[in-house]
Amino acid sequence: AQSVTQPDIHITVSEGASLELRCNYSYGATPYLFWYVQSPGQGLQLLLKYFSGDTLVQGIKGFEAEFKRSQSSFNLRKPSVHWSDAAEYFCAVGARGFQKLVFGTGTRLLVSP
Amino acid sequence: DVKVTQSSRYLVKRTGEKVFLECVQDMDHENMFWYRQDPGLGLRLIYFSYDVKMKEKGDIPEGYSVSREKKERFSLILESASTNQTSMYLCASSPITGTGNGELFFGEGSRLTVL
């Protein structure tokens, strides 16, 4: 069975600084990988996804993520954080041929002025 | 604009009450899911359904049941609510594997408080 680890519960970043959120997964084959964002009191919105091909994936709101098979990682990055990026971010892994996604425990991003 | 709609954003119920959480999607998706979200635990799958009248248990099905009588509607039922079921409940849908590759579309959530 697949699993996801997000080792950082909270991260604080200054506005304008770069951001990297970590995600490590466990799965025996090439997974489907996702990053979702949740603003306070809202549902989850898809930021980006990886299925195959280019290991650097571009998403919405200026986010990108890189799939590194050797490290079983799918870290989320943004070169310059805006105050509106403050939210909770979830990494998720899916298995090919199966319907379910498994989510990490989330990382809450705080943006300081 | 495609949507997953959860009927109640906020509910307050008493211990022992029967609770229905309703979810409707307008994307003609085959799969529908109920997740529970708790601080520090992320999202945990309660039940999912891949077709009308079909259901499968997720990781934490105890104390819950579901109903899917129509393709667009998936209901979560708490037969006798308990305080440890106070949580945020998220409904999601997805097309069949191979067309959407597992991507989930979420509703805005239903925050349930059981007193």
Side-chain angles (χ1 to χ4, degrees), chain B residues 5-70:
Chain B
T5 302
Q6 296 183 229
S7 56
S8 303
R9 292 294 308 275
Y10 302 94
L11 305 94
V12 180
K13 299 293 182 181
R14 297 205 174 276
T15 302
E17 280 193 79
K18 190 169 186 176
V19 182
F20 292 87
L21 300 180
E22 305 285 343
C23 176
V24 177
Q25 51 96 4
D26 65 0
M27 294 171 279
D28 201 36
H29 284 168
E30 286 74 16
N31 302 323
M32 295 189 75
F33 305 81
W34 276 106
Y35 284 89
R36 170 176 172 162
Q37 182 181 10
D38 299 287
L41 298 178
L43 277 71
R44 294 177 292 168
L45 183 63
I46 305 172
Y47 268 97
F48 68 102
S49 169
Y50 52 87
D51 201 353
V52 175
K53 296 190 185 296
M54 305 301 287
K55 62 184 179 185
E56 286 200 22
K57 293 180 180 179
D59 300 317
I60 53 164
E62 296 78 18
Y64 303 95
S65 62
V66 292
S67 172
R68 194 163 181 204
E69 297 296 319
K70 294 185 177 181

Side-chain angles (χ1 to χ4, degrees), chain A residues 32 34 36 38 41-44 46 49 51 88 90 97-101 103-105, chain B residues 9 31 33 35 37 40-43 45 48 90 97 100-104 106-108:
Chain A
Y32 297 149
F34 305 82
Y36 284 85
Q38 184 182 36
Q42 302 298 313
L44 275 68
L46 181 70
K49 56 191 176 186
F51 297 147
E88 190 154 22
F90 292 93
F98 293 90
Q99 322 283 11
K100 298 184 292 182
L101 293 188
F103 286 81
T105 52
Chain B
R9 292 294 308 275
N31 302 323
F33 305 81
Y35 284 89
Q37 182 181 10
L41 298 178
L43 277 71
L45 183 63
F48 68 102
L90 292 167
T97 300
N101 293 314
E103 178 184 346
L104 297 181
F106 282 88
E108 292 193 323

Side-chain angles (χ1 to χ4, degrees), chain A residues 81-103:
Chain A
V81 168
H82 188 262
W83 63 267
S84 61
D85 293 323
E88 190 154 22
Y89 292 79
F90 292 93
C91 181
V93 61
R96 294 170 189 272
F98 293 90
Q99 322 283 11
K100 298 184 292 182
L101 293 188
V102 173
F103 286 81

Side-chain angles (χ1 to χ4, degrees), chain A residues 3 16 34-35 40 50-51 60 67 74 78 83 85 97 100 109 111:
Chain A
S3 65
F34 305 82
W35 275 100
Y50 170 79
F51 297 147
I60 63 172
F67 171 55
F74 189 56
K78 187 171 185 178
W83 63 267
D85 293 323
K100 298 184 292 182
L109 173 65
V111 180

